[in-house]
Amino acid sequence: MSRWIAGFRSAVISPDEQIKLAESRAFADQTVRQPLHLAGAGDRIRVRLTNRYGQQPLVIGAARVALRKNDDEIVAETDQPLLFEGGARVTIPAGAEAISDPVEGAVRQGTDLLLSLYLPEPTGLATFSHQPAEIAYVTSGNQVAAASSPLREEVPARFFVTGVDVHTADDAQVIVAFGDSWFEGVGTTLGANHRSVDYLNARLADGWAVNQGIAGNRLLRTEIGASGLDRFARDVLDVPGVTRVLLNFGINDLILGDMAGQPPATAAELIAGFTALAERAHAAGLTVHAATIGPYAGCVYPGMPIEETLPTRRAVNEWLRATEVFDAVFDVDAAVADPERPDFIRPEFDSGDGMHLNDAGAAAMAATIPVR
């Protein structure tokens, strides 16, 4: 039986949060062209746009999608308009989403699409993915049909898009990688598709994984992004085709809250949060795998509560390695920690900031994840 399932996902945050790791943006009479790296394959696609955190209606004056040639250059013969109930223009109310009409044409796993959105009216601050390890290309005026845009601004973020669905008769299974920057890809080479989830997809023979990581995201508290507990229903359970979920949380619960004067999570709080997600996943019939909390003692960012939270990290990892609440635990910590200094990332895996993985580290993380 043919069906629509998730072929690409991009978890979004509000531009109005107190804790910011990237500047919020607004647009007016501009085109935003964005690469979307498909994990899934199908005989047609549809694109999901969002105004989830907007304060006013979002007007899309025109939208097109094409295969990517390189950078912001399209493969001209693949360029097609995106329509919404047959129309080229769509207004998305504040807090709402829009799904395009189907676009005919087969796409393969690993395909890069270029999505071009013309934003004719002031958008207000944009709902966005703030650290996607990818570049958006911004130009003035309506340039959705341009082959490329030489006078462009390059912005390392993604705006107004949450996903691409693929139509397939295949029985492919969708895995959701749900967590923080170690999934979203902070520290990996910009635009290279070297995130841990990309390396995982290279290992999968049956189905694919879509990326619902948010840099800075916490399991227990909102900011940055809705908490893992709060967004689980939307970003995991509502993903069409999902059969398995991978969890990677913990570092931000321990150290990020200090930026907003909040205390670190306790081991008991994290264990309760992980247990709650496992129970909700199993109740929905999903397989659930969880990662141990990676090392971060080398964090170069000042003011973080590092030393005082490391015992909590160790305690939660001991619980993760011993618990039976998950179907499996993948030991990221053991794979990337420095054997001589186990609270630090191995030098060859460190992106340079002491708390994020480079390309080699992302590959090492992916290698710990069970493929079934």
Side-chain angles (χ1 to χ4, degrees), residues 27 30-36 64-68 70-75 79 113-119 134-139 142-150 152-155 157-159:
F27 303 94
Q30 290 170 296
T31 296
V32 182
R33 178 168 286 180
Q34 310 181 80
L36 310 179
R64 301 186 74 86
V65 67
L67 296 181
R68 185 186 196 183
N70 54 63
D71 295 332
D72 73 331
E73 185 177 0
I74 64 171
V75 178
D79 185 37
L113 300 179
L114 282 172
L115 169 68
S116 300
L117 303 176
Y118 174 52
L119 308 166
E134 190 54 272
I135 295 169
Y137 302 94
V138 181
T139 57
N142 184 350
Q143 301 292 333
V144 295
S148 64
S149 307
R152 68 192 187 216
E153 178 188 3
E154 297 185 0
V155 182
R158 187 180 291 131
F159 303 95

Side-chain angles (χ1 to χ4, degrees), residues 200-239:
L200 172 62
N201 274 321
R203 298 178 58 228
L204 295 173
D206 178 23
W208 52 79
V210 296
N211 194 336
Q212 294 281 44
I214 296 177
N217 198 220
R218 289 183 279 178
L219 174 61
L220 304 174
R221 300 190 69 149
T222 291
E223 289 203 44
I224 296 167
S227 72
L229 289 170
D230 287 345
R231 69 186 183 97
F232 186 77
R234 179 185 64 238
D235 287 352
V236 177
L237 300 183
D238 290 347
V239 173

